[in-house]
Each structure stands twice: as C-alpha cells, then as structure tokens.
Amino acid sequence: MKKNVKFNFNIFSLVFIFLLAVASSCQKNKKISDELDENVFSVKFKIKDFESIVSPLQKANGTRKLVSSKASVNSKEETLFKWDFDLGNADPIIAFNPLPVIDYNNGKVDYGFTAGWPTTGKSISFRGVESILFKLPVQQIELLSNLSLDVNSSGTGPRALLIDYSTDKGSNFSKLSDTIHYPLDLTSTGISKLPISQSLNAIPVMGKEAVWIRIRLYSGKRPPGSIYNPTSSTFKLDNVLITGVVNDTALQNKLYYHIYNASGNELVKQGGISAAETFAVDLPLGTYYLSVLTKNSNSPIVFANSTNRNGFYISNSFMEKEAEIYAVRDTFEVKQSIERTLLLKRLYSEVKVEFTDIVDLSHIDSIRIQQKHPGFYYYPFSNSSNSQLDATFLKIEPNFTENNKSFFFNQFMGFHDTNKTIKYELTVYEKGSVIRSFELKSEVKNNMQVLFKGLLLEEINPGQGFIIRKNEKWDGNVDVDF
C-alpha cells in the first residue's frame, strides 16, 4: 500500500511539474508575441503626383498610340517565366510574378552551372538528382500554356524523365506527361541536347497562389555499355520558357516593390500590388532600402538577382518600344509607424525620328532599327554595370502620309547622372527590298526627349546629316538634324 501511495504521489508530482512548465511556456510565448507586436510598425508609402504619373499608365498603351501596338493581354499568350542561366545563377530573366524558385531533391539549391546551349552560354547542372521543382507564384495568371526546355545528362546520368505538377505546395502531384525517353543515339557531349515541349493547359491555375512543376529523372533506355549512377551522375537543363495568359489588368495596374534590410542586404519584403496612390507594409525596427517600379506594357518587368540588394537589377527588351517604366529608391529607418512620400522618375527616354523629305514616303514598307550600343540595365542600389548586348530589333511599319513622316519609340535607360551613347542602325525597305541603311547616334541619359531630324531618301541631297535636338521639357532634350 505504501508503494502505491508513493507511486501515485510521484505521478502527481510529474503532472504538476508538467503543468507548471506548460504554463511557464505559455507565459514566455505570450511575452515574445507581445514584444513582436510592439516592435512591428506600419510603414505607409505615398506616390507623389500619382494622378499624373501612374494613373495614365493604367490606360491601355498610355495616352499615345505607337506604331504596331499590341493586342490586349487577355487574347495573347505571353512569356511568364524565362531562364537562360548565362549569368551563372538561378534567377529568371523574365518573371511575371516574383520570386520563382528552382530547387531539387526536397529543397536543395547547391546546383552548379556549366556550358549550355549555345555553348557560349551556361546551363544549370544537378548532381545526384532525383527530382527538380520549379516553384511558380501564379497570382493574376489565368492560364499556363506551355513549358519548353533543353536537357541532357552525363554518360552515367538519367535518360528518361516525367513531368507532373502540384497546386498544394507538394502535398499531391498530378501527371502532365508520359515518360519521356532520350533517343538512344543522343550523346552526352558537345552541342547534343533533347528539346522538350510540354503543354501546361491541364493545370488548374485560376485562384491559386502557387504551382509547382516537377521533373522526375529515371535511368531510362540506355545505349550499350551505359550504366546508370544515380548518386554521382549529372543532369543539366537550359533555355527554360513558360508561357501563359494573364489577367488583362495585371500588368498595367501594378507597382512592384522590394525592401532590403540595410544591415545584411537581404530581401525582407517584396510584392506586386494594384497601382494606388498609397500602400503600406509592416516592418520591425531597423533600417531599410526600398525599390519601387511601375511599367506600362503588355510584358512583365524583368527582375534579376532580387534576393540580394547589391546584385539586384532590371532590364527591358528593346523590342518593347512602347514600354514606360518609372522607378524610385528610398532609404528609411523604422522606429515607429511612419509615412514616406515617393517620387517616381522615368527610366527611359523618348526617341523620335522625323523625316524632312518633301516627296511622298507612303511607298516605304518598313524600317528596321537595331541597337548598336550595349543594352541598358538598372541597378537600384549599386554601381554595377552589365555589358550584355540586346540583339533584338524594332520593325516599324510607318504608314507615312503627307502630314506625318515621323515615328518614335521609348529607349529603356535605367538611372544615369551622365550622358550615355545611344546608336542605331536603320534599314529602310521598299516593296521588300533594302533601299538604304544608315546610323543615328547621340549622347543622352534617362528622362530625355531626343529628336533625329533629316532626309530619309539620301539621293535627294546626299551627304546631308541628321540634326539632333534635345528637348528640355523633361530633364533634358536632344535634337539631331541629319
């Protein structure tokens, strides 16, 4: 009987100690939560001159119609996500929504980069890979259309793959493809690759926050003498392109913000929000750097390296001759709830070409314009530069009349304190044949208007050059007679 009493007492003691521990834990958790709430503050941002800057951007193609304007987004398939890996990282060069993630084997990101396709570029490489995940944020996306990519493996690597997807962050997967086998004659060296194209129409994307696309790797059908080594072999992929259709208001009505911790330079907040005069975020005590951008275009802003402040930059294709991009940077300290006023500035300049010919120019079919200067990049928080060329070109179908012998386009510039060289090669076509090629050149920076003015048909007055004028209605303006 004494043993039972002692045993019951010991049980009671243990239960009592456990309840004390739980109570103590609850008190500690409550205190931590209270302190967290006390040290998180609302930071409100107000866009200065919102009605004159951002509101016009919400109108389709702005208030001025440029040549060959695009169809509305809801009727056209767009590039949503694109990777080429040429900078040796896994950041996309196009991302409709930030921030898509690539990982493998349940969260690993220690991938490498090797020669891709073309071999002058890079591809992403995985060792001992079983599965690869593309984790896509899909807010405002109405349809995922297609996935295309190039793949290959080392001699002992996988030679078959299967593509499936998840809309619940990996809890369940549904099959997209049957098993895709490498051709037996596909070698593992040089320029050899297996192009893959997979429809994504089966993915129910509407109303979802994220879609995970998974590539699973298998031994597959192997050439004679080829032995699969799942632990040390490598698999690489390149030129990943995901297309789809987005909500017709998603692109032109958004502000994109990135907030970085000043002490560690890491990204702490980001988002794409409907354009409004004010928006707010909650932040704990600290000092922060902010980047805000807005873009009027039927294509998304290209964010790169956005997880680290010093490497973060954006670019924009020269083909987007109508794109209007505004941005602002800010530094602020959070000690209490505060309000910040932001003034967006142009990251582009307007280039106008006006011909002074007195003769009829309606027979001109088109004018092809190619940049002869390096592409421009915007680094909000560093002095970094990028010498990559943009090989795309504009095709202008001018429809010249007696009263209108001009056209214009927007040149993305980024922010610059000093003038930068812009140089273009213009090739003029009549009835499908080239009748003239010439170059135009000037020195400008962002937020300027440039006018090149001169004769299109040089045989009328050979040797006359274009006149350049710089318009001071913006920050500056350049006129060039030719």
Side-chain angles (χ1 to χ4, degrees):
M1 185 70 180
K2 288 183 179 180
K3 288 183 179 180
N4 289 337
V5 171
K6 184 176 180 181
F7 177 73
N8 291 335
F9 178 78
N10 288 339
I11 292 177
F12 174 78
S13 299
L14 288 173
V15 171
F16 180 72
I17 292 170
F18 173 76
L19 291 174
L20 284 177
V22 170
S24 175
S25 175
C26 290
Q27 290 298 320
K28 288 180 181 178
N29 288 338
K30 184 176 186 302
K31 182 180 179 183
I32 291 172
S33 175
D34 289 346
E35 288 177 352
L36 184 61
D37 290 341
E38 289 174 1
N39 288 289
V40 172
F41 301 97
S42 175
V43 181
K44 183 178 180 181
F45 299 101
K46 181 177 181 180
I47 307 297
K48 186 178 180 181
D49 299 331
F50 176 84
E51 291 301 324
S52 62
I53 295 177
V54 178
S55 291
L57 299 184
Q58 299 180 9
K59 301 175 183 178
N61 295 321
T63 57
R64 298 180 65 179
K65 292 288 185 181
L66 298 186
V67 184
S68 304
S69 58
K70 297 180 181 179
S72 62
V73 225
N74 59 1
S75 64
K76 183 178 178 182
E77 186 176 301
E78 301 284 344
T79 295
L80 302 181
F81 303 97
K82 183 179 180 180
W83 288 264
D84 67 10
F85 309 109
D86 288 346
L87 294 180
N89 61 51
D91 290 308
I93 58 174
I94 292 178
F96 171 69
N97 284 320
L99 184 70
V101 172
I102 300 175
D103 63 32
Y104 76 105
N105 292 5
N106 298 317
K108 297 177 68 175
V109 293
D110 58 341
Y111 27 66
F113 300 89
T114 185
W117 301 284
T119 54
T120 53
K122 293 182 179 178
S123 64
I124 188 169
S125 177
F126 307 85
R127 183 176 297 277
V129 60
E130 298 174 0
S131 64
I132 299 166
L133 279 173
F134 291 87
K135 299 177 178 178
L136 310 176
V138 294
Q139 302 92 332
Q140 302 267 32
I141 295 176
E142 296 185 343
L143 174 70
L144 290 175
S145 299
N146 196 75
L147 164 69
S148 62
L149 67 161
D150 297 325
V151 305
N152 205 345
S153 307
S154 63
T156 58
R159 294 186 67 88
L161 57 91
L162 188 146
I163 303 173
D164 53 18
Y165 73 91
S166 172
T167 58
D168 55 12
K169 297 186 177 181
S171 296
N172 299 280
F173 282 88
S174 300
K175 188 173 72 171
L176 279 172
S177 74
D178 293 325
T179 302
I180 301 170
H181 290 274
Y182 289 19
L184 287 175
D185 59 354
L186 181 71
T187 64
S188 59
T189 58
I191 61 173
S192 298
K193 65 179 180 180
L194 175 62
I196 292 173
S197 181
Q198 173 62 50
S199 172
L200 304 178
N201 289 334
I203 301 177
V205 69
M206 291 288 286
K208 305 297 183 183
E209 291 291 316
V211 166
W212 291 8
I213 298 176
R214 182 173 65 175
I215 300 175
R216 289 189 285 168
L217 287 309
Y218 302 96
S219 173
K221 300 173 182 177
R222 312 190 68 82
S226 173
I227 300 174
Y228 181 42
N229 188 328
T231 58
S232 64
S233 62
T234 59
F235 170 82
K236 68 178 182 179
L237 57 86
D238 197 4
N239 304 317
V240 180
L241 177 65
I242 296 173
T243 60
V245 177
V246 302
N247 183 289
D248 58 359
T249 63
L251 293 172
Q252 295 177 350
N253 293 339
K254 285 186 108 173
L255 292 172
Y256 297 89
Y257 66 86
H258 294 75
I259 301 175
Y260 297 85
N261 191 317
S263 60
N265 294 325
E266 71 272 10
L267 181 67
V268 295
K269 291 270 188 177
Q270 65 175 355
I273 59 174
S274 296
E277 186 173 4
T278 62
F279 67 97
V281 297
D282 293 333
L283 292 168
L285 295 170
T287 302
Y288 299 92
Y289 297 101
L290 168 74
S291 166
V292 174
L293 302 103
T294 187
K295 175 181 179 181
N296 172 36
S297 174
N298 286 338
S299 294
I301 292 177
V302 181
F303 297 105
N305 299 332
S306 58
T307 55
N308 184 273
R309 178 175 68 91
N310 291 326
F312 174 46
Y313 71 89
I314 74 164
S315 61
N316 198 67
S317 172
F318 182 55
M319 291 181 66
E320 289 196 85
K321 56 183 178 291
E322 304 175 25
E324 298 173 352
I325 303 178
Y326 288 76
V328 64
R329 299 166 289 192
D330 191 28
T331 305
F332 59 93
E333 185 176 4
V334 176
K335 293 181 179 179
Q336 58 187 3
S337 295
I338 59 174
E339 180 173 317
R340 305 286 296 177
T341 299
L342 307 174
L343 178 61
L344 295 167
K345 293 186 177 181
R346 292 183 184 91
L347 293 187
Y348 67 96
S349 286
E350 180 187 278
V351 178
K352 182 177 182 180
V353 181
E354 181 179 326
F355 299 114
T356 57
D357 304 67
I358 60 174
V359 299
D360 181 24
L361 297 179
S362 61
H363 57 284
I364 302 300
D365 299 339
S366 62
I367 301 174
R368 194 181 88 156
I369 306 173
Q370 186 167 14
Q371 291 181 118
K372 305 301 286 186
H373 55 258
F376 289 104
Y377 297 83
Y378 169 49
Y379 288 82
F381 306 113
S382 71
N383 295 321
S384 302
S385 61
N386 196 319
S387 60
Q388 291 187 89
L389 296 176
D390 184 349
T392 58
F393 60 85
L394 302 183
K395 182 180 179 181
I396 303 295
E397 297 174 351
N399 298 317
F400 289 136
T401 66
E402 182 180 352
N403 298 320
N404 178 25
K405 298 177 182 179
S406 65
F407 62 86
F408 72 93
F409 58 89
N410 291 335
Q411 171 68 65
F412 175 76
M413 300 285 298
F415 272 139
H416 297 286
D417 295 324
T418 58
N419 286 343
K420 302 295 179 182
T421 298
I422 56 171
K423 185 178 181 181
Y424 308 101
E425 180 182 71
L426 281 72
T427 304
V428 184
Y429 291 83
E430 178 184 356
K431 296 180 180 179
S433 299
V434 176
I435 63 171
R436 185 188 178 192
S437 291
F438 59 96
E439 289 188 349
L440 299 176
K441 180 180 179 181
S442 186
E443 302 283 330
V444 300
K445 53 186 177 182
N446 61 293
N447 201 24
M448 299 182 74
Q449 290 177 302
V450 185
L451 172 63
F452 292 96
K453 188 174 183 179
L455 294 169
L456 173 61
L457 303 177
E458 62 178 347
E459 62 268 23
I460 293 177
N461 189 0
Q464 177 174 339
F466 274 70
I467 296 173
I468 305 176
R469 292 194 177 93
K470 300 184 180 181
N471 182 359
E472 299 297 335
K473 290 181 181 178
W474 290 4
D475 275 356
N477 110 46
V478 183
D479 290 7
V480 183
D481 285 2
F482 63 94

